[in-house]
C-alpha cells in the first residue's frame, strides 16, 4: 500500500461526525439509556483515534482518565486496558476471513517483538508473543500507549487495521480460512466477507450498535466459519433456479444465554450480502435493547421478534425484495484444517499447523512469513480454531517445508489433545476472567497426549505414502476438543467443545481456590448442541485426573466411530459427573 502523507496512520472514517445513525428511527426507547449508550451519544467513539495520536500517546495513560468514557471508546480502535492497569494495553488486529499476506504476518511478528514485551517471562510461553483468536483476530499484549500511533502506521502500510476490532459495532468478519482454495467450497466466501468488513469498518453511521455484533460467512459444506453461533451467519444454499448463494441465520451467540442462530427464511446472492448485512445492522440498531447491557446482544432481539418478525423488520429496511431460503448445502461440521490437504488448484496443497491455544512468539511469525514466501504462494490463513495455514505449496516442496524447524514447533501432525485445545487469555490479561487459562490448557492437553495417545493417533508422517494419505490420517486422529474460558463470556467457545471449561471459584475448607465448571458434549453441524455443564467448581488441581478418567471411560465405552460428544450425550449426566469428580485427593496441575 503506498504511503499517504496526509494520512500516515491509516485510521480512516466515513460519514458525518454529527450523525452516528442514519436510520428510520434512531432508537426504540423503552427506558433510560444505559451509561455506555449515553457516553456514545456524548462523543462518537471514533473520536478516540485522533485523541490517541495527538494526546494520549504523548501525555500517557493518565490523560485518558480525564475524558469521561474514553476508556470505553478505546475499544473502537481495538484497545483494551489489561488487568494490570497503568500503561499496559491489549491491541487487537482485524483479519477479515483470516486471510493474510506474508508481509502482514511479518509486520505483526515485528510488532510483537518490538512492542509487546511484558515484565516477566511466562514459564510456558516466554515473552513477546501474539495470540491468534477464535474470531481470526490477532492480539498483542503489554502495548504502551506511546507506541500505538507507530504501530498503527506500520500496520496501515501493509493493509492491517485495529479499527472496530472491539466495541459496539461490527467485529471481525469470519469466514472459512481456506475459502478460494478448498476443493469442496460451493461458493467463494472470502470476497463476500472482505466486502462486508470493508463496508462496516470506519463507517460512522453503523458504528454505534447496542452491543458487539459478529458476522460469519462460509461457502463450504462443513460450517468452517461456525455461523450458527454468530449474530449474522451466511452459509451455502441453492436457490430454486439453481443459483448458489447463502441462506441467512441470525441471533446466534454464546456467553450467558447461549443460542443457536435462527433461520429466517432468506436467500441472498453474493452481490446482495452487503445490503443484507446493512439491513440487519439497521434492525439491530433501531430495535435492539439500549437500556440493559445484559440484554443488548442481538440474540435477545432475534428471540423477541421470532424468525418471521425479524424477517419482516428486515424486509422494511433492505433495498431488494427478500427471497425464500434455498436448499441448504451444509452437511457437516469441521473443527480445523490441520494437516496436509490438496487444494482445488491442481498440484498445490495447503498445510494446516497446530498452535496450541493460539499463542505464537513474534519471531516465529516472522519465520512463518519467510516460509509462506519460500514454499507457498505468500499467503497465510488464520482459522477460528486458533491455528494457521500455509497455502499454495507445490507438491514437490512439501517435504522441504515439513522439515523446517517451525513445522516441528507448530506441527501439522500434533497429538489429538494438543490439536484440539483452545483457550482465551484468561486472568493473565483479562479483567473479567477469574482463572489462568492458556498455560493450564496446554499442560492438560500435553499430559493427555503423553498418557493416552498411541503412535497411530499422532499421525506422524512415517508412512512415505504422500500428502493425501498424511492428510486423511491426521484428520481421523480421534481429536477430543477442549475449550477453556476464564469466565462466562465464552471467548474460547466452550459450549461447542467436546469438553468445555468455564472459570469459577471453589471454597475448599477455609480458603478459596481457582476452579472450573466442566461441560461435556458440545458440537456444531448436523448434530449441533451446546454442552451440558455436568460438574461445577472443580478445583483446577483436580482437573487433570478428571480428564484422564472421563476420556478413559469414553475409550472403553464408545461405539464404533462414535465421537466423544455423542457418547457424552447418551451417558447419564450423574454418571459423567461421578466420573469427573472421582476421588477427592488433589492431582497436580
Amino acid at each position: 500500500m503506498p504511503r499517504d502523507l496526509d494520512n500516515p496512520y491509516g485510521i480512516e472514517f466515513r460519514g458525518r461526525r454529527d450523525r452516528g445513525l442514519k436510520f428510520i428511527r434512531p432508537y426504540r426507547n423503552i427506558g433510560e439509556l444505559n451509561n455506555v449508550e449515553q457516553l456514545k451519544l456524548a462523543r462518537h467513539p471514533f473520536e478516540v483515534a485522533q485523541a490517541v495520536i495527538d494526546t494520549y500517546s504523548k501525555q500517557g495513560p493518565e490523560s485518558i482518565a480525564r475524558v469521561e468514557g474514553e476508556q470505553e471508546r478505546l475499544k473502537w480502535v481495538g484497545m483494551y486496558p489489561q488487568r494490570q492497569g497503568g500503561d499496559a494495553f491489549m491491541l487487537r488486529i482485524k483479519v477479515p476471513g483470516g486471510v493474510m499476506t506474508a508481509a502482514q504476518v511479518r509486520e505483526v511478528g515485528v510488532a510483537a517483538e518490538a512492542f509487546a514485551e511484558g515484565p516477566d517471562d511466562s514459564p510456558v510461553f516466554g515473552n513477546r508473543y501474539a495470540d491468534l483468536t477464535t474470531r481470526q483476530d490477532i492480539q498483542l499484549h503489554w502495548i504502551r500507549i506511546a507506541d500505538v500511533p507507530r504501530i498503527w502506521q506500520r500496520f496501515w502500510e501493509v493493509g492491517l487495521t485495529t479499527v472496530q476490532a472491539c466495541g459496539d459495532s461490527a467485529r471481525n468478519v469470519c469466514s472459512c480460512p481456506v475459502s478460494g482454495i478448498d476443493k469442496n467450497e460451493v461458493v467463494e466466501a472470502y470476497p463476500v466477507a472482505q466486502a462486508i468488513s470493508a463496508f462496516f469498518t470506519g463507517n460512522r453511521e453503523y458504528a454505534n450498535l447496542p452491543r458487539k455484533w459478529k458476522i460469519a460467512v462460509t461457502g463450504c459444506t462443513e460450517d468452517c466459519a461456525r455461523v450458527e453461533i454468530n449474530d449474522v451467519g451466511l452459509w451455502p444454499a441453492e436457490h430454486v433456479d439453481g443459483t448458489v448463494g447463502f441462506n441467512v441465520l441470525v441471533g446466534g451467540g454464546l456467553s450467558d444465554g447461549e443460542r443457536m442462530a435462527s433461520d429466517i427464511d432468506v436467500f441472498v446472492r453474493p452481490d446482495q450480502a452487503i445490503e443484507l448485512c446493512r439491513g440487519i445492522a439497521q434492525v439491530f440498531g433501531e430495535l435492539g435493547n439500549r437500556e440493559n447491557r445484559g440484554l443488548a446482544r442481538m440474540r435477545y432481539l432475534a428471540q423477541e421478534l421470532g424468525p418471521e418478525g425479524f424477517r419482516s423488520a428486515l424486509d422494511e429496511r433492505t433495498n431488494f425484495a427478500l427471497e425464500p431460503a434455498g436448499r441448504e448445502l451444509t452437511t457437516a461440521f469441521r473443527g480445523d484444517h490441520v494437516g496436509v490437504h490438496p487444494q482445488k488448484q491442481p498440484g498445490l496443497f495447503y498445510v494446516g499447523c497446530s498452535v496450541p491455544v493460539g499463542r505464537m512468539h513474534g519471531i516465529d511469525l516472522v519465520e512463518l512469513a519467510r516460509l509462506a514466501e519460500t514454499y507457498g504462494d505468500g499467503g497465510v490463513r488464520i482459522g477460528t480454531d486458533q491455528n494457521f495455514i500455509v497455502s499454495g505449496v507445490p507438491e514437490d516442496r512439501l517435504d522441504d517445508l515439513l522439515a523446517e524447524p517451525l513445522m516441528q514447533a507448530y506441527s501439522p501432525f500434533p497429538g489429538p489433545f494438543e490439536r484440539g485445545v483452545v483457550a482465551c487469555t484468561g486472568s493473565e490479561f483479562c479483567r473479567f476472567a477469574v482463572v489462568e487459562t492458556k498455560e493450564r490448557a496446554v499442560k492438560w492437553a500435553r499430559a493427555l497426549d503423553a498418557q493416552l495417545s498411541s503412535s497411530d493417533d499422532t499421525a506422524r508422517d512415517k508412512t512415505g505414502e504422500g500428502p493425501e494419505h498424511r492428510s486423511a490420517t491426521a484428520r481421523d486422529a480421534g481429536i477430543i476438543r477442549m475449550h477453556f474460558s476464564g469466565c462466562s463470556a465464552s471467548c474460547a467457545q466452550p459450549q461447542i467443545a467436546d469438553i468445555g471449561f468455564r472459570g469459577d471459584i471453589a471454597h475448599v475448607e477455609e480458603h478459596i481456590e481457582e476452579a472450573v465448571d466442566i461441560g461435556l458434549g458440545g458440537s456444531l453441524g448436523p448434530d449441533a448442541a451446546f454442552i451440558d455443564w455436568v460438574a461445577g467448581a472443580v478445583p483446577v488441581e483436580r482437573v487433570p485426573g478428571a480428564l484422564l478418567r472421563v476420556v478413559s471411560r469414553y475409550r472403553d465405552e464408545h461405539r464404533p466411530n462414535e465421537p466423544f460428544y455423542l457418547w457424552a450425550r447418551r451417558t447419564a449426566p450423574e454418571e459423567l459427573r461421578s466420573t469427573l469428580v472421582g476421588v477427592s485427593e488433589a492431582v497436580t496441575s
Side-chain angles (χ1 to χ4, degrees), residues 21 23 56 76 87 109 123 181 210 229 242 272 274 277 284 380 385 399 430 443 447 456 486 491 516:
L21 294 170
F23 292 163
Y56 308 143
W76 273 256
D87 198 7
I181 61 176
I229 56 170
Q272 296 173 318
I274 294 176
C277 290
F284 184 38
V380 173
D385 51 7
D399 287 338
C430 179
K443 291 178 181 178
D456 290 337
C491 295
V516 293

Side-chain angles (χ1 to χ4, degrees), residues 223-236:
D223 192 18
C224 298
R226 305 180 179 181
V227 301
E228 293 170 287
I229 56 170
N230 277 264
D231 295 297
V232 181
L234 306 181
W235 61 3

